[in-house]
Amino acid sequence: MPDLVVGFDLDLTLIDTAPGFQQVLRALGAELEVEFPVEEMTRRLGPPLDMLLAPYLPPERIPAAGERFRALYPDHAITTVPVLPGAHEAIAAVRRLGGRVVVVTGKYAPNAQLHIDHTGLDVDVLEGWVWGVGKADVLRREAASVYVGDHVHDVEGALAAGVTGVSVLTGGCTAGELRAAGTHAVLDSLEDFPDWLSGHLSLRTG
């Protein structure tokens, strides 16, 4: 069997980013004198920040607002963000099989690294600022065979890379939406991943 490489999304797959994201939006809104609907904006995290800000700011203000969001992020969104149930165990399941772990996320890489460091997630490679089908290039480069995410755009990345897509229901997408997008497996959370991985590899080795 080829060496095992498993890719994971970060936000709402490995970590519960919503509380920190909300705090940053409130701080940004206070500076810009804009009252963002933070609950609504964080209900389905996944798309790039510029897309989330677009309905509430003129186009010419979005680049600077995005830069300010990323600057505010470390002080508001690291210590308040926990790992999701099963995250460490999912990574450990890959490690027990001699595998590598690659995190591929749309988040700004320096801020993503702060989360990795704070939570102690055991990661070999972190690639940030890639979204949707753009994740496929990283997955192919790292020779991943599985990509785990919570969003339909994570499924798009897995399919574009030709790898097995696994979806968890800890984000804002429903099982129906994820299956319609073409995911290969839907799990309630990463707590189910070690058993799924064992079964998946058993099928591969016949």
Side-chain angles (χ1 to χ4, degrees):
M1 186 176 67
D3 291 340
L4 176 65
V5 180
V6 177
F8 290 90
D9 177 46
L10 184 63
D11 293 351
L12 300 181
T13 299
L14 289 169
I15 61 174
D16 182 5
T17 326
F21 206 97
Q22 290 170 358
Q23 289 191 31
V24 182
L25 282 175
R26 292 189 180 100
L28 179 66
E31 289 191 6
L32 301 179
E33 299 183 341
V34 175
E35 191 169 341
F36 293 116
V38 296
E39 298 291 339
E40 177 184 338
M41 293 173 72
T42 54
R43 193 171 296 126
R44 290 170 66 97
L45 290 177
L49 177 63
D50 288 0
M51 291 180 63
L52 291 176
L53 295 176
Y56 312 106
L57 294 173
E60 65 274 12
R61 296 185 67 188
I62 290 176
E67 288 297 324
R68 187 57 185 151
F69 180 98
R70 288 183 281 274
L72 289 167
Y73 195 95
D75 289 336
H76 293 272
I78 303 302
T79 60
T80 58
V81 169
V83 293
L84 284 163
H88 286 294
E89 293 80 3
I91 291 174
V94 178
R95 293 289 188 219
R96 283 194 297 273
L97 295 165
R100 297 172 61 245
V101 174
V102 179
V103 170
V104 189
T105 174
K107 186 178 292 300
Y108 180 54
N111 288 340
Q113 186 64 57
L114 292 175
H115 282 300
I116 298 295
D117 294 341
H118 176 72
T119 56
L121 291 167
D122 184 14
V123 170
D124 294 294
V125 175
L126 168 65
E127 188 82 20
W129 264 16
V130 283
W131 180 64
V133 296
K135 296 185 175 187
D137 289 340
V138 183
L139 295 171
R140 284 193 292 261
R141 183 193 74 205
E142 299 298 328
S145 60
V146 175
Y147 184 60
V148 187
D150 66 281
H151 200 280
V152 293
H153 296 303
D154 296 323
V155 179
E156 292 172 356
L159 295 178
V163 307
T164 300
V166 178
S167 299
V168 288
L169 297 177
T170 45
C173 293
T174 66
E177 289 170 330
L178 294 162
R179 290 193 180 98
T183 193
H184 298 94
V186 176
L187 309 177
D188 287 337
S189 75
L190 286 178
E191 292 178 295
D192 299 326
F193 181 77
D195 285 345
W196 176 88
L197 181 62
S198 178
H200 172 68
L201 294 180
S202 295
L203 289 174
R204 283 178 58 188
T205 56

